[in-house]
Amino acid sequence: MILDCAIIGGGPAGLTAGLYTTRGGLENVTMFERGMPGGQITQSSEIENYPGVTGEITGMELMIPWPAQCQKFGLKHDMVEVTRVTKEDNIFKIYKADDTISEAYSVIIGTGSSPRRAGFVGEDQYFGRGVSTCATCDGFFYKGKEVAVVGGGDTALEEALYLAKICKKVYLIHRRDSFRASPNTVARVKRTENIELILNAIPQEVYGDNMGVNGLKVTMQDGEIRDIVVPGVFTFVGNNVNNQTLIQEDGSFLCNMTKSGEVIVDISMKTSIAGLFATGDMRIAAPKQVVSAAGDGAVAALQAIAYVDELLNA
Ligand code: FAD
Ligand code: NAP
């Protein structure tokens, strides 16, 4: 059977695309998601800017009802990693890690992004043994202890605030003296007594032993090396776009991309390939918000419905 639409990625963009394609009349729609649906927001300890959702809510709590809402309208979920998407004669082929191939008339891709590594010595060696990119997942291990957070964007500051509630002290290490995060979040961090700002500081090396991390050495602006003795280091230094599924056998991309690897789309989420739509954090100029990823999913779904209708009834 050829799917009307294959959705790749089950974050806010993919799930919303699933809701709108199925509810809008496409009958055979499958969402391919390599893990549990919900996307990267499920790692967030708090979300306070999703419209209509007031009060303290975690990213996981926000996303829990989304898959069931889509399934009610017929969306199918295949828990598998997609390895490649190709197109030939109006049919997309979706290659999967279980060595099977699905076919579809249209594809909506929303594979989001993944945490970047900061690049200091020992980061890879101690990843998962004291170095983490998820405060909600690993923060509890450091209850009552001191931790370091690296980064100066919204994620670093929000997660520093989260960790400050669990940990005795948080050292927030940033390579500049001004933050990328929103002013409101910066103000909250500055008001938090157990967060110490270490600015103009470049992380050099995380060190430890068989038991895990013992500390982080940072170079200060004047060249002094400061030793921050902590058992946990959380890095939040941005994300890389997950665009690997669009890479073809010859190394080229299926559709037009920016130099930094984002998918180029128009305001209808159309890519340079007919029937292929890109949504959420992976597309050019993405605001990188749950609400905009969801909006992209809805826009792409409406376009996919029209595209499939025209293709099959032309
Ligand atoms: P993602 O959420 O990244 O989802 C992509 C999905 O695709 C993932 O589930 C992934 O497993 C899947 N996938 C990837 N590759 C494959 C593959 N090859 N095969 C199958 N599946 C695949 N935004 C806000 O609006 N407010 C906030 O407060 C906020 N806080 C945040 C806090 C943190 C810690 C982080 C990391 C992000 C935060 N964001 C916030 C940003 C928000 O999470 C993202 O903008 C949003 O999740 C993007 O949605 P998406 O659907 O594009 O991608
Ligand atoms: P980001 O905005 O790209 O910030 C990354 C931070 O890490 C920057 O401060 C950067 O420093 C620093 N950095 C980068 N590489 C580094 C390295 N090698 N060593 C040390 N520091 C390094 O990433 P993000 O905070 O994950 O946010 C991503 C997007 O999601 C943003 O658009 C953000 O607004 C959004 N988001 C929104 C919310 C919200 O709305 N509440 C919450 C989380 C995320 P410089 O500043 O010097 O470049």
Side-chain angles (χ1 to χ4, degrees), residues 294-314:
D296 285 3
V299 170
L302 298 175
Q303 294 296 326
I305 294 168
Y307 173 81
V308 172
D309 187 44
E310 201 179 311
L311 185 75
L312 299 184
N313 298 308

Side-chain angles (χ1 to χ4, degrees), residues 65-79:
W66 293 38
Q69 186 186 14
C70 302
Q71 279 150 19
K72 202 172 97 184
F73 296 103
L75 180 70
K76 292 179 197 72
H77 172 202
D78 190 353
M79 198 194 267

Side-chain angles (χ1 to χ4, degrees), residues 49 118 152-155 158 174-176 180 237-238 288-289:
N49 57 5
D154 279 311
T155 305
E158 287 183 5
H174 180 38
R175 63 187 180 183
R176 294 188 292 130
R180 223 172 254 276
V237 297
K288 301 205 168 77
Q289 296 287 290

